[in-house]
Amino acid sequence: MTDGPGRAPRGSRAALAPVVVFSFGLSWVFCVLGLLLRSPNAVMNAGFTGIFPLTFLSNVFVDPRTLPGPLEAFVEVNPISILATASRSLMDGKPDGGAILVSLAVAAVLAAVFLPITTRLYRSR
């Protein structure tokens, strides 16, 4: 199911939407870090300290069924895993409504919490 020669399949474009929305929500966390920390290196290190464990403890690289019980349980509720599941389901043409809604909800919560904090920190400077 492509839209024409040389164009990406619809599912691939649809899968990009939750990733962009999630990234928007996550960007507010990095805005807060940027306003709290003094140097760009400190912001980068703090951000990677949070993102790396979430990414590597997700279903992006490994099937959760192959992991020990507690680790599998964490991977199943990890927002990065849920986002990956939502994107994969859209690319496969069989949307997982639950994963899509959870990904969008997490993005909305991140924005709702960190956007006002960013605004307050920016105005106090």
Side-chain angles (χ1 to χ4, degrees):
M1 268 202 248
T2 61
D3 292 334
R7 294 189 180 182
R10 289 183 199 137
S12 296
R13 286 197 312 262
L16 191 59
V19 172
V20 169
V21 172
F22 188 87
S23 299
F24 176 77
L26 192 60
S27 71
W28 292 106
V29 176
F30 284 95
C31 287
V32 168
L33 288 174
L35 289 168
L36 289 175
L37 301 174
R38 299 280 180 212
S39 74
N41 285 339
V43 174
M44 185 176 66
N45 289 336
F48 284 144
T49 300
I51 291 295
F52 272 163
L54 282 177
T55 302
F56 285 111
L57 294 174
S58 71
N59 67 1
V60 173
F61 300 112
V62 177
D63 184 357
R65 295 174 293 186
T66 64
L67 300 172
L71 196 53
E72 179 183 359
F74 177 79
V75 168
E76 294 296 332
V77 298
N78 182 340
I80 303 297
S81 291
I82 297 168
L83 176 63
T85 299
S87 294
R88 287 175 180 150
S89 73
L90 287 164
M91 284 188 276
D92 193 30
K94 301 170 190 157
D96 181 344
I100 294 168
L101 287 175
V102 169
S103 294
L104 297 177
V106 168
V109 168
L110 286 172
V113 169
F114 288 97
L115 191 147
I117 295 170
T118 299
T119 304
R120 173 172 258 155
L121 287 170
Y122 184 76
R123 287 182 180 168
S124 69
R125 293 192 167 253

